[in-house]
């Protein structure tokens, strides 16, 4: 019975984790496969409820295992120590005694005790022998531990030494079944059932028709099991804890079912959550609290198991499994819904694609029919062209009808280029021998009709962006442009611009921009350049602006090349010009707005202003016999000379004399104030409006009125320049005092001779001082230093800082080194630069 119990499978975990190791993933792996008993027919039928004592096949298997164990025991044990025999004695081999089967109790270990006595009797003094003895002792201790373990197992299974074996067929005879029953709450000596009442009625057999399975015979009803509740004793009242536990699974508790979430409700909740939830970044969390690691993306329900165990929830494992099944069902519903949506979207997309393809098919069918029609018309035109019966009017009418009927196809198929191919030879014959300068109106109506047909109707519409790709542009370039080039090169003169201007004005709306630019670039500009190069201002009677200015709106920036040559021609003549020659004004004044401002100012300052200043210096003011010729020579240039140059020239060379004459006249005995007033009005009327609008001119004229008012009131008339001379003396003293206090390079000047401090600016003071010293003061065109313009003060380049009232000079030309100087130093620099 002990052997049967030891040969049977155990339900405990003792020894289950022996003979193996743990892997990297935490799983336990056995080093070798465990041997199990072969599965018998009764094992298949009854499973764990099979009874080993009444099963002959199981007994046979046990006997085979015991024979195998005895066979294994009979094999030599190589782990025992080696026994040596004397070399001079021969010991005959003894017959091995038959091994006795160990029994229960103390008799079971008789053979092992003999073996232990033999092992103890060995006397092995060497180190190797001691190791053998220690190994034998360790094996003996291991066997003792195994016997103790077997005894504890027998005691746990109810089989003690000396106890009679349980009767066959009883619950104690099968340890597996007894252990399973104990796990389900069964106690020895009590009955089965809810209240331990045991079985009420024996099992009754049910007769059925032969060879008939369940539900195969109609009308057959199995008899209901017999229950006799009236003979049952009343069950004992369950304890309070059991009653509380039973209430959870009572019928009333089962009647209160939770609300079952339907598929539509689940999907609706899912949609609301997707709308409410903000898009978040999904992060993976590894949960390593259990026996296996879990990868989580959502922390909902993470501690449900612990909470259920803490709250004593009944059957937490079952609820956990149910919750997993519910979650899987929800996931399946959501997955299927998503798949359904995708399929619906795919169906809708395919429907739209089908409609789109159907429309494209209908459109392509129509386009095919239209193209066949256009091809037939073009084929007929080709036949007529070969037969030389094609006319310009008929060709135009045919293509106009095609464009009116098939607008999109006309552009898509580039029918305009095909029309150009047919009309090109016809237009060549029409414009053959045409002189565009003599008859500029010829062919306007014909080209206008073809422009409306062809322009803007080529494929991809290149007419606005790339004019050279337009069919109409190509047609004009091959038909009209050659005739214009020939006439312009051979018969047109630049000094007579009218024929070419008439042609361009007539064809302005019909010439594409690229063709017009080609005419200007290759026909008009070469002729004008040659005419300007051959122009001599001293011999030409017709001013150059008469035949150059009409081209200004068309030439644009190209006129700059002509202006450079014209300025050079004028400069070569103006250096010998005199102020009395008014022809210079007639030649120069039209170019004021054509030349750039810097070039125009440079030309006037270099060649015109010096001659006019000389004329004003020679001009005499005599009220008794006044001659205005020289004054008129200067005033006529007032519209051409920049106003600041004109004002400065009049102030220095005219008003200084004019005020002195007025002062002496007012200081004379018995002056006629009416005559003086008429004289004043006469001079004021000689100035043009642009000069009278200048503030400085008004101040100078007002100074004359003040002198007349002082004389009329009987006051002493102040001589012009006296106040300025006094201010100059004061400024000189102050300058000497400041020079002692500051460095010479930062000396500032607050006055110049001949100018009133309250009226003149710092720049005007420098100009007046240069004029008094007889030095040239004029701006250098295009020259700047620190954002301030550069002027010529005699032979030295200076720069005026009106804010700080400082004067900077460049000691050497070409050296980028400027320093602050005084007027005395500036005069010394001019004196040293004079040739000796």
């Amino acid at each position: 019975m002990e052997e049967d119990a030891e040969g049977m499978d155990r339900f405990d975990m003792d020894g289950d984790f022996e003979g193996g190791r743990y892997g990297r993933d935490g799983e336990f792996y056995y080093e070798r496969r465990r041997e199990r008993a072969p599965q018998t027919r009764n094992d298949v039928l009854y499973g764990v409820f099979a009874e080993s004592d009444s099963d002959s096949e199981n007994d046979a298997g046990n006997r085979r295992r015991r024979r195998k164990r005895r066979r294994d025991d009979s094999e030599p044990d190589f782990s025992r120590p080696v026994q040596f025999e004397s070399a001079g004695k021969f010991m005959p081999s003894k017959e091995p005694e038959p091994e006795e089967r160990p029994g229960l109790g103390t008799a079971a270990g008789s053979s092992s005790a003999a073996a232990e006595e033999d092992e103890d009797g060995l006397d092995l003094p060497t180190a190797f022998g001691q190791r053998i003895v220690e190994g034998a002792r360790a094996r003996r201790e291991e066997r003792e531990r195994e016997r103790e373990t077997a005894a504890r197992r027998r005691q746990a299974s109810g089989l003690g030494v000396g106890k009679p074996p349980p009767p066959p067929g009883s619950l104690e005879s099968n340890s597996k079944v007894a252990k399973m029953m104990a796990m389900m709450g069964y106690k020895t000596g009590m009955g089965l059932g809810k209240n331990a009442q045991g079985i009420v009625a024996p099992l009754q057999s049910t007769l059925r028709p032969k060879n008939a399975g369940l539900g195969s015979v109609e009308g057959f009803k199995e008899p209901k099991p017999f229950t006799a509740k009236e003979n049952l004793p009343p069950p004992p009242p369950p304890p309070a804890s059991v009653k509380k536990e039973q209430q959870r699974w009572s019928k009333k508790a089962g009647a209160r079912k939770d609300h079952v979430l339907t598929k539509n409700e689940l999907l609706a909740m899912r949609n609301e959550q997707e709308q409410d939830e903000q898009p978040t970044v999904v992060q993976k969390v590894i949960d390593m609290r259990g026996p296996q690691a879990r990868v989580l993306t959502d922390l909902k329900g993470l501690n449900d198991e612990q909470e259920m165990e803490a709250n004593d929830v009944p059957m937490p494992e079952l609820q956990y499994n149910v919750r997993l099944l519910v979650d899987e069902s929800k996931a399946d519903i959501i997955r299927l819904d998503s798949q359904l949506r995708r399929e619906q979207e795919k169906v809708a997309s395919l429907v739209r694609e089908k409609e789109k393809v159907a429309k494209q098919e209908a459109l392509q069918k129509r386009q095919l029919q239209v193209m066949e029609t256009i091809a037939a018309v073009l084929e007929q035109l080709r036949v007529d062209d070969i037969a030389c019966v094609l006319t310009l009017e008929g060709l135009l009418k045919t293509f106009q009808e095609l464009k009116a009927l098939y607008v999109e196809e006309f552009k898509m198929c580039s029918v305009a280029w095909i029309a150009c191919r047919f009309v090109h030879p016809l237009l060549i014959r029409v414009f053959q021998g045409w002189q565009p300068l003599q008859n500029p109106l010829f062919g306007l109506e014909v080209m206008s009709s073809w422009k409306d047909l062809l322009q803007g109707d080529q494929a991809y519409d290149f007419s606005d962006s790339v004019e050279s790709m337009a069919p109409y542009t190509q047609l004009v370039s091959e038909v009209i442009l050659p005739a214009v080039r020939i006439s312009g090169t051979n018969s047109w003169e630049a000094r007579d611009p009218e024929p070419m201007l008439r042609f361009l004005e007539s064809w302005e709306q019909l010439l594409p921009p690229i063709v017009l630019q080609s005419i200007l670039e290759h026909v008009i500009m070469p002729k004008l350049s040659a005419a300007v190069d051959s122009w001599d201002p001293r011999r030409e009677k017709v001013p150059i602006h008469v035949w150059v200015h009409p081209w200004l709106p068309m030439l644009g920036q190209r006129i700059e090349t002509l202006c450079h040559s014209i300025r050079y021609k004028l400069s070569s003549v103006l250096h010998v010009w005199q102020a009395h020659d008014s022809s210079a004004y007639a030649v120069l004044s039209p170019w004021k707005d054509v030349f750039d401002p810097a070039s125009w100012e440079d030309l006037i300052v270099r060649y015109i202003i010096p001659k006019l200043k000389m004329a004003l210096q020679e001009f005499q003011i005599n009220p008794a016999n006044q001659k205005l010729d020289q004054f008129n020579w200067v005033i006529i240039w007032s519209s051409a000379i920049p106003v600041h140059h004109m004002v400065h020239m009049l102030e220095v060379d005219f008003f200084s004399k004019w005020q002195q004459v007025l002062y002496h006249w007012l200081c004379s005995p018995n002056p006629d104030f009416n005559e003086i007033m008429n004289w004043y009005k006469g001079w004021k009327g000689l100035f043009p409006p642009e000069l009278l609008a200048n503030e400085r001119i008004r101040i100078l004229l007002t100074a004359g009125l003040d002198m007349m008012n002082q004389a009329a009131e009987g006051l002493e008339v102040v001589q012009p320049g006296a106040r300025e001379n006094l201010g100059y003396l004061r400024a000189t003293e102050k300058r000497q005092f400041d020079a002692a206090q500051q460095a010479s390079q930062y000396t500032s000047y607050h006055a110049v001779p001949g100018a009133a401090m309250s009226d003149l600016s710092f720049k005007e003071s420098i100009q007046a001082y240069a004029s008094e010293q007889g030095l040239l003061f004029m701006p250098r065109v295009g020259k700047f230093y620190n954002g301030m313009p550069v002027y010529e003060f005699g032979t030295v380049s200076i720069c005026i800082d009106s804010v700080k009232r400082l004067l900077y000079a460049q000691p050497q030309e070409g050296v980028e080194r400027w320093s602050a100087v005084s007027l005395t130093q500036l005069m010394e620099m001019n004196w040293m630069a004079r040739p000796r």
Side-chain angles (χ1 to χ4, degrees):
M1 197 64 192
E2 180 183 1
E3 293 176 359
D4 295 340
E6 291 180 357
M8 296 174 63
D9 294 336
R10 303 184 309 275
F11 282 92
D12 56 354
M13 299 176 63
D14 297 340
D16 285 353
F17 293 90
E18 297 178 358
R21 60 184 177 83
Y22 287 93
R24 295 182 178 178
D25 52 354
E27 291 289 338
F28 183 84
Y29 298 95
Y30 287 98
E31 295 291 344
R32 58 185 179 84
R33 187 173 180 181
R34 299 177 63 184
E35 296 183 359
R36 293 181 177 272
Q39 192 176 23
T40 62
R41 184 169 178 272
N42 288 343
D43 294 335
V44 175
L45 292 177
Y46 301 106
V48 297
F49 297 100
E51 296 182 358
S52 58
D53 294 339
S54 60
D55 192 350
S56 60
E57 294 182 5
N58 195 8
D59 293 340
N62 292 336
R63 286 194 298 272
R64 286 194 297 269
R65 285 194 294 272
R66 285 195 297 270
R67 284 197 300 270
K68 183 178 181 180
R69 188 183 301 112
R70 285 195 300 270
R71 186 167 57 251
D72 295 337
D73 294 339
S74 63
E75 295 177 358
D77 187 5
F78 295 99
S79 62
R80 299 185 63 179
V82 181
Q83 296 182 1
F84 297 92
E85 295 180 358
S86 175
K89 298 180 181 180
F90 175 76
M91 300 295 296
S93 61
K94 300 180 180 180
E95 291 292 333
E97 297 179 0
E99 184 181 357
E100 296 182 357
R101 179 178 179 180
L104 297 175
T106 56
S110 58
S111 59
S112 59
E116 292 173 3
E117 293 176 358
D118 295 340
E119 292 176 356
D120 294 338
L122 293 175
D123 187 10
L124 301 175
T126 63
F128 180 71
Q130 292 296 328
R131 286 198 298 269
I132 292 175
V133 173
E134 291 177 358
R137 188 180 299 109
R139 287 193 297 273
R140 184 169 62 255
E141 294 175 355
E142 181 66 24
R143 284 194 294 270
E144 291 178 356
R145 286 195 296 271
E146 289 180 357
R147 284 195 297 270
E148 293 177 357
T149 301
R152 286 197 300 271
R153 289 177 182 174
R154 287 192 300 271
Q155 186 178 0
S157 60
L159 298 177
V161 181
K163 291 183 179 181
S170 62
L171 183 62
E172 291 79 2
S173 62
N174 195 326
S175 60
K176 293 182 179 179
V177 177
K179 190 173 294 186
M180 290 178 62
M181 295 296 289
M183 292 175 61
M184 290 188 292
Y186 173 74
K187 297 181 180 180
T188 306
M190 297 180 64
L192 297 174
K194 180 178 180 181
N195 298 319
Q197 73 274 14
I199 188 170
V200 179
L203 298 177
Q204 297 180 358
S205 62
T206 303
L207 298 178
R208 299 176 56 80
K210 187 178 181 181
N211 299 329
L214 294 176
S216 61
V217 180
E218 297 181 0
F220 175 76
K221 295 183 180 180
E222 296 182 357
K224 296 182 180 180
F226 174 77
T227 58
K229 296 184 180 180
E230 61 276 3
N231 297 327
L232 292 178
S241 59
V242 177
K243 183 177 181 180
K244 182 179 179 182
E245 192 72 23
Q246 289 176 355
Q247 289 177 356
R248 300 180 180 179
W249 301 96
S250 63
K251 294 183 179 181
K252 293 182 180 180
R256 295 191 300 270
K257 296 182 178 178
D258 294 336
H259 175 68
V260 179
L261 193 64
T262 62
K263 180 193 72 172
N264 297 331
E265 294 175 350
L266 175 62
L267 297 178
M269 293 173 57
R270 178 70 176 180
N271 294 333
E272 292 178 358
Q273 292 177 359
E274 290 179 354
Q275 293 177 0
D276 296 339
E277 290 181 356
Q278 297 293 335
T280 56
V281 179
V282 178
Q283 297 182 352
K284 293 183 178 181
V285 179
I286 300 177
D287 183 12
M288 304 185 67
R289 300 179 299 172
Q292 294 181 354
R294 295 188 301 171
V295 179
L296 306 175
T297 58
D298 189 2
L299 300 182
K300 295 180 179 179
L302 182 63
N303 298 323
D304 288 351
E305 292 187 40
Q306 289 77 6
E307 293 177 358
M308 292 172 63
E309 293 179 358
N311 298 332
D312 194 16
V313 178
M315 303 184 69
E317 295 84 358
L318 178 59
Q319 294 194 23
Y320 176 76
N321 294 336
V322 171
R323 188 171 61 254
L324 288 181
L325 294 177
V326 172
D327 293 342
E328 291 179 0
S329 301
K330 289 182 180 179
D332 292 340
I333 292 174
I334 295 173
R335 178 179 55 80
L336 293 175
D337 181 68
S338 302
Q339 185 177 358
L340 179 60
R341 290 183 181 180
R342 288 195 298 270
E343 295 296 333
Q344 290 175 351
E345 293 176 358
K346 185 176 181 180
V347 170
S349 176
L350 292 176
V351 170
R352 291 192 298 268
E353 187 70 20
K354 181 181 179 182
E355 295 176 354
K356 182 179 178 181
V357 171
K359 291 180 181 179
Q360 291 180 355
E361 182 183 4
L363 179 61
Q364 291 178 359
K365 285 183 179 179
R366 179 186 173 279
Q367 289 179 353
L368 181 60
Q369 295 175 359
V370 171
M371 290 180 182
E372 291 176 353
T373 303
I374 295 175
V377 173
L378 296 179
E379 181 63 23
Q380 183 62 36
L381 291 177
R382 189 182 65 82
V383 173
D384 294 344
D385 189 18
I386 294 174
C388 298
V389 296
L390 193 62
T391 60
L392 193 61
E393 294 77 7
L395 185 64
L396 179 62
K397 183 178 180 181
T398 301
F399 281 104
Q400 286 178 347
E401 291 177 354
L402 288 177
K403 183 177 180 180
L405 293 175
Y406 317 112
V407 179
E408 295 296 332
E409 289 76 8
F410 191 90
K411 180 184 294 187
M412 183 179 64
C413 299
S414 302
V415 181
W417 286 102
I418 302 175
C420 287
R421 175 187 173 278
F422 284 106
V423 77
H424 181 266
L426 300 179
L427 289 178
I428 291 293
R429 289 196 294 269
V430 170
F431 287 95
Q432 188 174 6
W434 173 53
Q435 296 295 328
L437 300 183
Q438 284 76 20
N439 190 10
L441 302 179
F442 178 79
L444 287 177
E445 184 178 356
V446 175
M447 294 304 298
S448 178
S449 301
W450 282 99
K451 177 185 178 183
D452 297 338
L453 177 68
L454 301 178
Q455 194 168 22
D457 288 319
Q458 69 277 10
Y460 306 109
D461 196 10
F462 285 106
S463 60
D464 295 333
S465 58
V466 186
E467 288 291 341
S468 60
M469 298 300 295
Y472 176 74
T473 303
Q474 188 75 16
L475 187 64
V476 174
S477 300
E478 296 178 358
V479 176
I480 306 300
L481 184 59
V484 177
R485 278 190 172 185
I486 294 173
S487 297
T489 304
N490 297 335
S491 60
W492 178 61
E493 292 294 336
R495 288 179 173 82
D496 184 18
E498 289 301 321
M500 185 62 73
L501 288 173
R502 284 196 303 269
F503 168 77
L504 293 178
E505 290 174 359
S506 302
W507 286 79
E508 182 180 3
Q509 301 297 328
L510 299 179
L511 292 178
I514 190 172
V515 176
L516 179 60
Q517 298 301 324
S518 178
I519 294 174
L520 294 175
E521 187 72 26
H522 300 96
V523 178
I524 297 174
M525 281 299 298
K527 286 282 187 176
L528 287 177
S529 298
V532 169
D533 292 340
S534 63
W535 173 65
D536 188 356
R538 291 170 292 187
R539 294 185 179 90
E540 294 285 348
K541 296 182 180 179
V542 179
I544 190 173
H545 67 272
V546 174
W547 46 273
V548 173
H549 282 197
W551 299 107
L552 294 179
M554 295 184 183
L555 293 179
Q557 296 297 329
R558 295 185 181 89
I559 197 66
E560 290 296 330
T561 58
L562 300 178
C563 290
H564 183 271
S565 300
I566 293 171
R567 285 196 301 269
Y568 177 76
K569 294 276 187 180
L570 294 174
S571 300
S572 63
V573 177
L574 289 175
H575 73 282
V576 295
W577 170 77
Q578 297 299 325
H580 63 82
D581 186 4
S582 61
S583 62
Y585 176 77
V587 174
L588 282 178
S589 58
W591 295 97
K592 178 182 178 182
D593 298 330
V594 178
F595 293 164
D596 60 281
S599 300
W600 176 254
E601 185 176 1
D602 180 68
L603 185 66
I604 293 297
V605 171
R606 284 180 179 273
Y607 301 106
I608 304 301
I609 291 179
K611 304 296 179 64
L612 297 180
K613 286 176 67 67
M614 293 175 61
L616 282 179
Q617 291 172 2
E618 296 174 359
F619 176 61
Q620 298 295 328
I621 300 176
N622 186 3
N625 185 17
Q626 185 66 55
K627 294 181 180 180
L628 301 174
D629 294 340
Q630 294 172 331
F631 183 79
N632 291 332
W633 298 344
V634 176
I635 291 300
I636 196 175
W637 287 90
S638 60
S639 61
I641 298 177
V643 64
H644 60 281
H645 290 290
M646 192 70 182
V647 170
H648 176 69
M649 184 172 56
L650 290 174
E651 181 181 1
V652 174
D653 297 321
F654 171 74
F655 278 102
S656 60
K657 299 177 182 179
W658 183 80
Q659 290 178 354
Q660 290 293 337
V661 170
L662 179 60
Y663 171 75
H664 290 293
W665 193 358
L666 292 173
C667 291
S668 64
N670 299 322
D672 189 353
F673 287 101
N674 292 329
E675 187 178 358
I676 293 174
M677 183 60 64
N678 293 331
W679 179 80
Y680 173 82
K681 292 181 180 179
W683 278 109
K684 185 176 180 180
L686 293 177
F687 288 93
E690 57 267 19
L691 288 179
L692 291 176
N694 186 267
E695 182 180 1
R696 188 60 187 168
I697 297 296
R698 291 201 306 269
I699 291 174
L700 295 173
L701 292 174
T702 304
L705 284 177
D706 294 339
M707 294 169 63
M708 290 188 289
N709 291 332
Q710 292 173 2
E713 293 176 0
L715 301 176
E716 182 181 359
V717 180
V718 180
Q719 183 179 4
R723 186 180 304 170
E724 288 78 3
N725 292 334
L726 182 60
Y728 172 70
L729 293 176
R730 292 177 179 175
T732 303
E733 294 177 358
K734 187 177 186 304
R735 183 171 63 251
Q736 293 175 356
F737 176 77
D738 292 340
Q741 299 294 330
Q742 300 178 359
S744 59
Q745 60 179 355
Y746 298 106
T747 304
S748 61
Y749 306 95
H750 301 283
V752 293
M757 293 302 297
S758 59
D759 299 333
L760 294 179
S761 63
F762 186 65
K763 174 185 173 183
E764 291 172 344
S765 302
I766 301 298
Q767 290 178 346
Y769 182 77
S771 177
E772 289 182 1
Q773 298 297 328
L775 298 176
L776 179 64
F777 183 86
M778 64 178 183
R780 298 189 63 180
V781 181
K783 295 289 185 178
F784 294 91
Y785 170 69
N786 289 340
M788 298 179 291
V790 178
Y791 300 88
E792 287 186 3
F793 189 92
T795 58
V796 181
S797 297
I798 65 172
C799 182
I800 300 173
D801 190 352
S802 300
V803 178
K804 298 180 180 179
R805 302 183 69 84
L806 294 177
L807 187 66
Y808 297 90
Q810 188 179 18
Q812 295 181 2
E813 187 69 24
V815 178
E816 294 294 335
R817 183 173 63 85
W818 295 76
S819 60
V821 296
S822 64
L823 287 175
T824 305
Q825 293 174 342
L826 192 60
M827 292 300 299
E828 292 177 358
M829 294 169 66
N830 277 277
W831 183 78
M832 295 177 62
R834 290 178 182 177
R836 298 178 182 178

